[in-house]
Amino acid sequence: MAASVRDVAERAGVSVGTVSNVLNSPGKVAPATAERVQAAIDDLGFVRNDAARQLRVGRSHSIGLVVLDVRNPFFTDVARGVEERAAAEGLSVLLANSDERADREAAHLELFEEQRVRGILISPVEEVLPLLQGLRNRGIPSVFVDRLASTPGWSSVSVDDVRGGRDAVEHLLARGRRRILFVGGPLDLPQVRDRLEGARAAVAGVDDARVDVLPVTGLTMAQGVAAGRQILALESRPDAVVAGNDLIALGVLQGVALNGGIRVPEDLAIVGYDDIDFAAAAAVPITSIRQPRERMGALALELLLEQLDGKEPRQIVLQPELVVRASSG
Amino acid sequence: MAASVRDVAERAGVSVGTVSNVLNSPGKVAPATAERVQAAIDDLGFVRNDAARQLRVGRSHSIGLVVLDVRNPFFTDVARGVEERAAAEGLSVLLANSDERADREAAHLELFEEQRVRGILISPVEEVLPLLQGLRNRGIPSVFVDRLASTPGWSSVSVDDVRGGRDAVEHLLARGRRRILFVGGPLDLPQVRDRLEGARAAVAGVDDARVDVLPVTGLTMAQGVAAGRQILALESRPDAVVAGNDLIALGVLQGVALNGGIRVPEDLAIVGYDDIDFAAAAAVPITSIRQPRERMGALALELLLEQLDGKEPRQIVLQPELVVRASSG
DNA sequence: CGACGGGATTGAATCGTTTCAGTCGTTGTC
DNA sequence: GACAACGACTGAAACGATTCAATCCCGTCG
């Protein structure tokens, strides 16, 4: 059905090699010939079959990106950074969504390997090193995004989440808050764990301050709303919430707003994480810990390219930045 | 480097045909043999080369989805609907971002054709029928998403945007608003045009009511913020804004909030469009026109499958739903 | 005038999988 | 005991592009 180089060659009265040259090394072919070939291509509506090309060349021109949740603006911003840098390099990006589930993550990695992607950027759910080690052995390097490589010898771009968590709580302490509730999960997610660790570290030296944990099963607005409702029902309410990310924070804000009795920030301060665009537009603009989202994406691709160039893997750790808004009054 | 079926076959002491059967039609092969082959696969870390498979089979197992803006939650929700339905069908989804630019849209379509996707779902920037007609001639069907196919003979899933625009304005009129400003763009985007048309239709019979237009260059929050600032500077301010989508609405809300003088909704009512999750979480919860986002995605894939089954293209038009919140008082 | 050089072109080999007609060996039937 | 039937397995052909050694052609130079 679809035209092939052979058809084009025949119609233009040249060999397949010449058609291929027109496609891949114009300049190697005489202008007159090139023109004739181009005409044949247009006539037949020829479009090169990438599968055949890839098979012959032995590699694709795409890279895989696995994120925890495409519906989280944080990740679409990261993806944007990746894509921009990738496009400049002539690479296309395959975007996959693990939904914070290890099985989906593994399935996507498998698919990516079948596609023979050049490399993989991943915001991992949990321990995927064995899988990634296998990929590396077979020539596919990877880079951790939004997560420090726990083992040396692996590339990563991350933000110091422990510090981010600490900054959030220290800010709250400075505002006089003492009964802090960390709302986030799943708790085996490294990002969440680190932020919580930082939060706990911040209260360590402060006698009357404490951090409790309200675990949720996912970093979504819906989970935040549910958490907000639970907070309303608590006997002794916290005076501040540190959320695992901005979606949770927005959700909590909505959840507690259902009860007119609780005011933000007077009765309950809220600090989010990521500083997505929507944080500033919230009912009460959310204080948040900003991560350089697009930059992380671009840097991750950079590290991947380095590895493809044979350079050593390395880790980049960026610093988060506290952005104070009304929610922490 | 990477192991091939031939390597596996050799190691397992069988022919390549048998290896292929283990992969694709287990059941055709004796349990003992299958086990031996599987062991060889595991030993060698064999992963099937999808390019070769595709080349031989003649088609891929993926479909392409082109959206106007991946950072708009509306589209990630649609994408989610598509993906879920696609996964159930064993198809994977290639997600591409046109950023409301016709050249990027065309480039992505070209790439998709090179990949020999089974079909394409697209939320088009402008007139792409010629391109899509070419694709169809070469065996790749497509479905319009979030946009009514203007020509019969094409599949589409859309929402009645004219009605949505009218509902928005009628609601505002009922609340006593008269000087309505439509903020949206680019104006050649069908969705925007239709919503504006509906808005104008609503005031047609009302003497003292009018709809002005403040055009923006893209449906983003940043554009909305800029528009909000412009509104502050207007000599005669509108008493209501109908936004092209929720991102614009959120932006306008932020933009006008910079000036303590304007209160929403007292001085300025705002109605958005799409009803993304963030609309409800906004500074002033945004009244919006809800579209069934995930459902649109799932239905679009459904229509694509129908075409792949040889059925006739058809159009599905869904009805929008006004969701009243605080921003329209 | 013949040899040389070099740009343009050719076409067979190749990538790794699936497919399918055919072989092999065993079991069951009459 | 011959033959059919059947399941398991084989292996060569095919998919469509790229690559590269070989060939062709033509102008130039000695």
Side-chain angles (χ1 to χ4, degrees):
Chain A
M1 173 107 203
S4 74
V5 275
R6 208 178 310 272
D7 302 324
V8 173
E10 195 176 336
R11 179 163 190 126
V14 299
S15 74
V16 292
T18 299
V19 175
S20 177
N21 279 336
V22 170
L23 257 34
N24 302 302
S25 344
K28 277 208 179 312
V29 52
T33 315
E35 204 171 319
R36 207 145 32 91
V37 171
Q38 191 56 55
I41 288 178
D42 295 342
D43 286 358
L44 296 171
F46 166 82
V47 174
R48 123 147 107 304
N49 183 326
D50 195 53
R53 171 205 186 77
Q54 245 186 69
L55 175 58
R56 175 62 232 230
V57 175
R59 57 182 188 174
S60 70
H61 40 263
S62 36
I63 63 134
L65 170 60
V66 187
V67 301
L68 291 173
D69 177 12
V70 260
R71 298 160 96 183
N72 182 342
F74 169 76
F75 286 111
T76 55
D77 287 351
V78 171
R80 168 79 172 218
V82 172
E83 239 162 32
E84 221 151 83
R85 190 72 189 71
E89 218 69 32
L91 296 169
S92 37
V93 178
L94 269 34
L95 181 58
N97 194 7
S98 67
D99 263 331
E100 298 178 5
R101 281 171 42 189
D103 58 332
R104 293 198 43 155
E105 177 175 89
H108 284 306
L109 289 178
E110 171 91 12
L111 278 180
F112 282 161
E113 186 170 7
E114 290 191 0
Q115 316 277 347
R116 295 295 188 270
V117 295
R118 289 276 190 86
I120 287 176
L121 310 184
I122 182 170
S123 177
V125 176
E126 48 181 41
E127 204 42 77
V128 278
L129 262 186
L131 280 180
L132 296 180
Q133 180 66 58
L135 286 168
R136 172 187 282 191
N137 294 342
R138 279 165 256 132
I140 304 183
S142 39
V143 175
F144 289 104
V145 182
D146 189 34
R147 154 108 136 83
L148 179 65
S150 43
T151 320
W154 290 87
S155 283
S156 68
V157 180
S158 59
V159 162
D160 185 344
D161 279 335
V162 176
R163 164 154 170 211
R166 207 182 50 214
D167 286 355
V169 171
E170 280 175 356
H171 165 67
L172 288 169
L173 292 175
R175 298 284 167 116
R177 308 293 166 146
R178 287 297 179 270
R179 297 190 314 282
I180 293 165
L181 182 65
F182 180 90
V183 180
L187 290 174
D188 46 4
L189 215 54
Q191 290 89 328
V192 175
R193 223 163 33 204
D194 287 353
R195 290 165 198 177
L196 174 55
E197 181 187 330
R200 283 188 166 136
V203 295
V206 185
D207 273 355
D208 56 342
R210 52 176 302 173
V211 168
D212 288 320
V213 177
L214 175 54
V216 297
T217 59
L219 295 166
T220 65
M221 248 173 79
Q223 289 286 317
V225 172
R229 292 217 182 97
Q230 285 180 51
I231 290 171
L232 290 178
L234 289 179
E235 290 191 15
S236 93
R237 286 193 194 137
D239 56 14
V241 161
V242 171
N245 74 353
D246 284 341
L247 297 181
I248 296 271
L250 288 166
V252 168
L253 178 62
Q254 257 191 295
V256 300
L258 296 176
N259 177 329
I262 288 198
R263 293 161 305 164
V264 174
E266 293 81 354
D267 305 322
L268 185 74
I270 299 181
V271 178
Y273 208 105
D274 290 346
D275 193 29
I276 60 177
D277 292 344
F278 296 104
V284 180
I286 302 273
T287 293
S288 191
I289 306 290
R290 176 178 298 163
Q291 309 201 60
R293 307 181 294 275
E294 298 200 20
R295 183 136 169 273
M296 284 179 71
L299 284 172
L301 191 69
E302 207 76 50
L303 290 184
L304 186 64
L305 293 173
E306 286 187 12
Q307 285 191 67
L308 289 171
D309 272 358
K311 298 199 187 124
E312 284 303 302
R314 64 195 180 95
Q315 293 91 40
I316 297 180
V317 177
L318 304 170
Q319 292 308 316
E321 181 192 352
L322 175 71
V323 179
V324 178
R325 298 205 182 82
S327 74
S328 60
Chain B
M1 173 109 204
S4 75
V5 276
R6 207 177 311 271
D7 302 323
V8 173
E10 195 175 333
R11 181 166 188 122
V14 300
S15 74
V16 294
T18 299
V19 175
S20 177
N21 280 334
V22 170
L23 258 34
N24 304 302
S25 343
K28 276 205 181 314
V29 51
T33 314
E35 204 171 318
R36 208 145 31 92
V37 171
Q38 190 56 54
I41 289 179
D42 294 343
D43 286 357
L44 296 171
F46 165 82
V47 174
R48 135 154 93 274
N49 183 325
D50 195 54
R53 170 204 185 77
Q54 245 186 69
L55 174 58
R56 172 62 232 225
V57 174
R59 57 181 187 176
S60 70
H61 41 262
S62 37
I63 65 135
L65 169 61
V66 187
V67 301
L68 292 173
D69 176 13
V70 259
R71 297 160 97 183
N72 183 341
F74 169 77
F75 286 112
T76 54
D77 288 350
V78 170
R80 168 80 173 220
V82 172
E83 240 162 31
E84 219 151 84
R85 191 72 187 72
E89 218 69 33
L91 296 169
S92 37
V93 178
L94 270 34
L95 181 58
N97 195 8
S98 68
D99 263 330
E100 297 177 5
R101 282 171 42 189
D103 57 333
R104 294 197 42 154
E105 177 175 271
H108 283 306
L109 289 177
E110 172 90 11
L111 277 181
F112 281 163
E113 185 170 9
E114 290 191 0
Q115 316 278 348
R116 298 292 189 271
V117 296
R118 290 276 189 86
I120 287 175
L121 310 183
I122 183 171
S123 177
V125 176
E126 47 181 36
E127 204 41 80
V128 280
L129 261 186
L131 280 181
L132 295 179
Q133 181 67 57
L135 286 169
R136 173 187 280 191
N137 293 343
R138 280 166 256 130
I140 303 183
S142 40
V143 174
F144 290 104
V145 182
D146 191 35
R147 155 108 136 83
L148 179 65
S150 44
T151 321
W154 291 86
S155 282
S156 68
V157 181
S158 59
V159 162
D160 185 343
D161 279 334
V162 176
R163 165 153 169 211
R166 207 182 49 217
D167 285 355
V169 171
E170 280 177 355
H171 165 67
L172 289 169
L173 292 175
R175 298 284 167 113
R177 310 292 167 145
R178 288 295 179 271
R179 299 190 313 281
I180 292 164
L181 182 65
F182 180 89
V183 181
L187 291 173
D188 47 3
L189 214 54
Q191 290 90 327
V192 176
R193 223 163 36 206
D194 286 353
R195 290 165 198 180
L196 175 55
E197 181 187 329
R200 283 188 167 134
V203 296
V206 184
D207 273 354
D208 55 344
R210 51 176 304 174
V211 169
D212 288 320
V213 177
L214 175 54
V216 297
T217 60
L219 296 167
T220 65
M221 249 172 80
Q223 289 287 316
V225 172
R229 291 215 183 99
Q230 285 180 52
I231 290 171
L232 291 178
L234 289 179
E235 290 190 17
S236 93
R237 286 197 193 132
D239 56 14
V241 161
V242 171
N245 74 354
D246 284 340
L247 296 181
I248 297 271
L250 288 167
V252 168
L253 178 61
Q254 259 191 295
V256 301
L258 296 176
N259 178 328
I262 288 196
R263 293 162 305 164
V264 174
E266 292 81 353
D267 306 321
L268 185 74
I270 299 180
V271 178
Y273 208 105
D274 289 347
D275 193 31
I276 60 177
D277 292 343
F278 296 104
V284 181
I286 304 272
T287 294
S288 191
I289 305 291
R290 174 177 299 163
Q291 308 201 60
R293 306 180 295 274
E294 297 200 21
R295 183 137 170 273
M296 284 179 72
L299 284 172
L301 190 69
E302 205 78 51
L303 289 184
L304 186 63
L305 293 173
E306 285 187 12
Q307 284 189 68
L308 289 171
D309 272 358
K311 300 200 184 124
E312 284 303 303
R314 64 195 180 94
Q315 294 90 40
I316 297 181
V317 177
L318 303 170
Q319 293 307 316
E321 181 193 351
L322 175 72
V323 179
V324 179
R325 298 204 182 84
S327 75
S328 60

